[in-house]
Amino acid sequence: MPEIIPTDLTPADHLDACVEACSRCARICLSEAMEHCLRVGGKHTETQHFGLMLGCAEICRATADYLIQSPILHNKVCGLCAEICEACAHSCAEVGDMQTCVDTCRHCADLCRRMSLSEPIPA
């Protein structure tokens, strides 16, 4: 079940929530790709789907790291991460039997999309 996102988050709280969501999404996508997709095979390991899962894991990891280090251009980084997470969620839904990945990617995409529309984070 997807997490409920509070609407009264401060910018710093929203940043922390986004970092957590990105970190979790990176772990889930990599784990699902390496443990579930490789075990099941077939359409789960087709190049486009499998590559998208690995790419999603990487952009989420990089986004979490970036937000921790310097959230200056968070809107651009988070916008790209949201797009890739949404594409990964769609691919996982189409392939089937990957609901955890679908939910995790959608949650991360939602938080990243909100971050991409937010004002700069005060230093």
Side-chain angles (χ1 to χ4, degrees), residues 23-91:
S23 296
R24 183 173 193 281
C25 194
R27 283 191 314 273
I28 294 295
C29 284
L30 185 58
S31 173
E32 287 288 304
M34 301 311 289
E35 294 173 16
H36 177 72
C37 291
L38 288 178
R39 183 174 32 80
V40 173
K43 60 187 174 180
H44 285 81
T45 54
E46 288 178 1
T47 303
Q48 185 173 353
H49 173 71
F50 196 76
L52 185 55
M53 289 192 70
L54 295 179
C56 187
E58 185 60 25
I59 192 68
C60 287
R61 184 205 53 77
T63 298
D65 289 351
Y66 181 81
L67 291 174
I68 291 167
Q69 295 165 19
S70 175
I72 294 168
L73 294 173
H74 73 277
N75 58 330
K76 296 194 184 307
V77 174
C78 289
L80 178 60
C81 188
E83 281 185 55
I84 293 171
C85 285
E86 218 28 81
C88 189
H90 180 74
S91 182

Side-chain angles (χ1 to χ4, degrees), residues 86-99:
E86 218 28 81
C88 189
H90 180 74
S91 182
C92 289
E94 279 189 347
V95 166
D97 192 30
M98 301 191 70
Q99 196 59 46

